[in-house]
Amino acid sequence: MSAGSAPIRVVVAKVGLDGHDRGAKVVARALRDAGMEVVYTGLHNSPEQVVATALAEDADAIGLSILSGAHMTLFPRVLALLDEADARDVIVFGGGIIPDEDAARLREAGVAAIFGPGASTQAIAEWVREHVASPDQGRPAAV
């Protein structure tokens, strides 16, 4: 990030009924420590709440965390709501317990990246920095 440029703004969200948020909190802190502005939404968010928060916060990206197995329902719903809001410039990435086959289908649907168990926080922060531009830098090419 160059001097005077706005930081990347990321909403990190736990969607659905997951009751475990340690991973989301670790990622949120890593992104913050990497110089990004991070809004963590807490547990038990609906896709509607996540998208409303991202729009209200003028987020550049949404990082979704899920362990419950509902990723094939909840992630596409977030993408659909962004479409409805004409906000598909908000990059969506995710992590959690997501089988490789489902991760491929989610990427085809528009999720930019999926990070599985064991992904390093440094790799996640670097990916966000490379694929999500801050507002004053313009958006990167499609991922």
Side-chain angles (χ1 to χ4, degrees), residues 6-96:
I8 295 170
R9 295 179 58 83
V10 182
V11 168
V12 174
K14 289 293 295 183
V15 287
L17 299 177
D18 282 354
H20 301 282
D21 63 348
R22 181 175 181 203
K25 287 179 178 177
V26 168
V27 169
R29 183 175 181 147
L31 297 177
R32 184 207 64 198
D33 290 351
M36 298 173 210
E37 289 185 9
V38 178
V39 175
Y40 173 61
T41 63
L43 291 168
H44 310 300
N45 290 272
S46 69
E48 291 79 5
Q49 290 169 312
V50 172
V51 171
T53 299
L55 295 174
E57 295 290 339
D58 196 25
D60 302 303
I62 297 172
L64 298 172
S65 172
I66 194 158
L67 302 173
S68 70
H71 49 273
M72 294 306 293
T73 300
L74 297 170
F75 282 35
R77 179 69 180 144
V78 168
L79 294 170
L81 290 166
L82 288 170
D83 283 339
E84 289 173 19
D86 196 27
R88 284 296 293 148
D89 60 329
V90 177
I91 305 292
V92 176
F93 64 98

